[in-house]
Amino acid sequence: MKYLSTHRSSPPVSLSEAVIRGLAADRGLFMPERIHRFDPSYFSTIHHFSFQEIALEVAKLFFGEDIPLEDLRSIVFDTLSFDCPVVPVTETIWSLELFHGPTLAFKDVGARFMARMLRYFLKGETRRLTVLVATSGDTGSAVANGFLGVEGISVVVLYPKGKVSDIQEKQFTTLEQNITALEVDGTFDDCQRLVKAAFADDALNSKMALTSANSINVARFLPQAFYYFNAYARLREKGALDGKAWVVAVPSGNFGNLTAGLFAREMGLPVNRFIAANNLNDVVFQYLKNGRYEPRPSVETIANAMDVGHPSNFDRILDLYGHSWETITSLIRGYRYGDEEIRSVISEVYQKTGYICDPHGACGYAALRDDLREGETGTFLETAHPAKFTGTMEEILGKGIIQLPERLAAFMKGKKQSIEIGRDYASFREWLENRE
Ligand SMILES: *Cc1c(COP(=O)(O)O)cnc(C)c1O
């Protein structure tokens, strides 16, 4: 299958090129030229299959023309070494828990899949590939852990010194092997600027193979469709969708997760409608309201992985629906919540049901609470484990309630190893050229 740029001013490319390049030559995002639909009969038996089996069927529709079945099977099965269960919160609202992977956030699925797909495409390549990733916290850990130990690939994580939490920092500075952490004396924007400068540096790129692992890569966002299909199967199995219409609420930042859900629906998944739940970074909420899309600088909130002022995947949503505001608003409603509301939702859910939402998942829950109608079953994506935000969670719920999972505790015991660099491009370039 070919991949087209959302800008349509560069030629279509193969899957392997789309994955290795990340972004199209005209700076647009890659879209598959076609979306294959499941035979509708698949949905009458889907609940008899496991998560991995369902994911493989989804992967075959996206990637089956480009990757032989056995290779695709091992990429998919190896990626999904953990479950994404649905858990009841109220009679009509279910949580889709996406935090059971190595770094306790949904980004593990896409990062692990992309690492394995890249390794597949790089077979026979003699040059080492270097993945550069700038992070303000969570992307760095998902990418570093996703690529850990993957042969032929080195990962360099750039992060702003003193500006990520201890637990986030430990998740990408304690890994060793093929992962190096660079502690940049600057802000997240400086880190991102350094990475962009390296990609734009032709002389450097002729000497070494560089790529990016950010969330716009098709190998990161498409696999996120897997868990929507599995959620449907597991809800069916539990009888939660009998005679009900299914509504899915997605806490959104860069809109990769929601876009993957929309792709799943285009493949035939019976989702009735979606809700995009935002924090105060609400440019898409505004678009849904009045048809005007006006990116602006992000503001800080307690759901900080959604602090995005210019969501990159929004272009994919526009492209998918031919830029039709009418179509988009018939499928997606928008809600947005300020920090105070997020805090009160977290306490309310905990008091009423005993369930603990993290600040991102809480936006999804709130949107269902506020929007679900008679005859509907709702599912919100619980995008990260609440223990990733222990400080905020303890301010809201008090101490002693949030348990640190074993995997997080293990990271905390590791020894931090990082290399400090300045924020100027010359020192970054010099380091890249002279490393082992
Ligand atoms: C990245 C992230 C989001 C936002 O997801 P998008 O796909 O960028 O919309 C939401 N919650 C958490 C915990 C995240 O890490």
Side-chain angles (χ1 to χ4, degrees):
M1 175 140 48
K2 292 285 184 211
Y3 286 78
L4 312 176
S5 163
T6 49
H7 293 173
R8 298 291 190 279
S9 46
S10 57
V13 301
S14 64
L15 173 62
S16 111
E17 199 177 335
V19 173
I20 293 169
R21 297 176 61 111
L23 205 62
D26 62 9
R27 315 302 292 165
L29 307 185
F30 288 117
M31 294 286 278
E33 64 179 338
R34 263 173 288 116
I35 299 179
H36 294 299
R37 287 182 79 86
F38 276 100
D39 185 321
S41 67
Y42 182 61
F43 297 102
S44 52
T45 54
I46 188 170
H47 50 291
H48 299 312
F49 297 97
S50 70
F51 182 18
Q52 289 179 331
E53 289 165 341
I54 293 168
L56 181 58
E57 292 307 310
V58 178
K60 272 157 69 178
L61 291 190
F62 284 132
F63 310 120
E65 294 165 23
D66 301 291
I67 301 180
L69 182 58
E70 277 319 301
D71 292 310
L72 194 55
R73 183 195 308 276
S74 56
I75 294 172
V76 169
F77 280 41
D78 203 30
T79 296
L80 301 177
S81 56
F82 51 90
D83 197 13
C84 297
V86 290
V87 173
V89 177
T90 70
E91 245 164 57
T92 52
I93 299 180
W94 295 67
S95 168
L96 169 55
E97 293 187 346
L98 302 177
F99 56 69
H100 296 276
T103 72
L104 299 100
F106 79 89
K107 291 185 177 69
D108 283 329
V109 174
R112 289 174 66 80
F113 189 89
M114 179 180 168
R116 282 151 188 80
M117 190 176 253
L118 255 187
R119 178 178 54 188
Y120 171 79
F121 283 129
L122 292 173
K123 264 193 202 133
E125 169 72 56
T126 48
R127 288 205 305 178
R128 225 182 145 66
L129 183 75
T130 300
V131 171
L132 299 180
V133 55
T135 187
S136 55
D138 280 348
T139 302
S141 52
V143 169
N145 284 273
F147 282 78
L148 183 64
V150 174
E151 270 168 50
I153 304 178
S154 308
V155 175
V156 178
V157 180
L158 290 86
Y159 73 103
K161 183 180 165 70
K163 294 195 175 63
V164 306
S165 74
D166 277 359
I167 184 71
Q168 286 175 325
E169 186 176 39
K170 288 278 177 136
Q171 287 182 297
F172 53 78
T173 57
T174 57
L175 298 167
E176 304 184 29
Q177 298 186 53
N178 57 333
I179 313 296
T180 309
L182 293 184
E183 196 169 357
V184 176
D185 185 14
T187 61
F188 169 63
D189 292 335
D190 290 316
C191 298
Q192 214 160 20
R193 178 177 48 78
L194 293 177
V195 168
K196 283 191 180 151
F199 288 130
D201 183 338
D202 291 336
L204 185 71
N205 284 270
S206 66
K207 280 188 229 163
M208 62 183 72
L210 297 177
T211 191
S212 119
N214 70 26
S215 67
I216 51 155
N217 198 298
V218 289
R220 268 194 65 190
F221 100 90
L222 288 174
Q224 294 174 174
F226 298 162
Y227 43 70
Y228 287 90
F229 285 89
N230 185 57
Y232 175 78
R234 305 290 73 94
L235 289 168
R236 278 283 300 279
E237 201 170 41
K238 295 174 199 293
L241 294 176
D242 295 351
K244 304 277 187 179
W246 191 32
V247 181
V248 180
V250 187
S252 296
N254 253 327
F255 281 78
N257 231 348
L258 179 60
T259 306
L262 295 167
F263 269 71
R265 190 175 181 280
E266 294 303 302
M267 296 167 85
L269 183 70
V271 185
N272 236 51
R273 59 192 184 91
F274 288 91
I275 306 178
N278 282 140
N279 58 27
L280 288 184
N281 295 281
D282 66 350
V283 296
V284 174
F285 171 82
Q286 298 298 343
Y287 166 84
L288 293 170
K289 223 164 67 173
N290 59 30
R292 283 196 301 275
Y293 180 64
E294 291 164 345
R296 53 164 202 269
S298 63
V299 295
E300 272 185 46
T301 75
I302 58 169
N304 58 9
M306 298 172 7
D307 294 350
V308 179
H310 188 174
S312 39
N313 282 292
F314 187 61
D315 274 345
R316 285 196 164 109
I317 299 181
L318 292 173
D319 193 82
L320 190 60
Y321 298 111
H323 293 253
S324 161
W325 180 81
E326 285 72 23
T327 311
I328 292 171
T329 51
S330 71
L331 287 175
I332 310 170
R333 290 168 67 92
Y335 279 83
R336 64 131 186 230
Y337 299 95
D339 282 357
E340 276 324 302
E341 288 165 291
I342 296 175
R343 287 195 178 91
S344 76
V345 169
I346 292 172
S347 339
E348 171 196 311
V349 180
Y350 182 66
Q351 304 300 338
K352 274 198 190 150
T353 70
Y355 192 80
I356 303 175
C357 289
D358 91 293
H360 307 81
C363 297
Y365 173 90
L368 290 172
R369 177 199 66 186
D370 295 344
D371 197 59
L372 215 55
R373 307 164 202 157
E374 198 60 36
E376 290 180 326
T377 292
T379 302
F380 65 96
L381 275 54
E382 177 53 318
T383 47
H385 193 290
K388 292 196 88 165
F389 314 96
T390 303
T392 305
M393 294 301 298
E394 287 186 338
E395 280 169 25
I396 302 168
L397 297 179
K399 290 205 186 291
I401 290 172
I402 305 296
Q403 312 280 339
L404 203 61
E406 190 96 13
R407 302 196 289 306
L408 270 189
F411 279 119
M412 292 309 279
K413 288 192 203 111
K415 184 173 174 325
K416 167 182 159 182
Q417 299 202 0
S418 66
I419 297 168
E420 297 199 23
I421 63 162
R423 74 189 81 174
D424 58 301
Y425 180 58
S427 17
F428 176 47
R429 188 181 203 277
E430 191 185 324
W431 179 84
L432 268 179
E433 283 192 302
N434 296 314
R435 82 210 139 110
E436 302 289 280

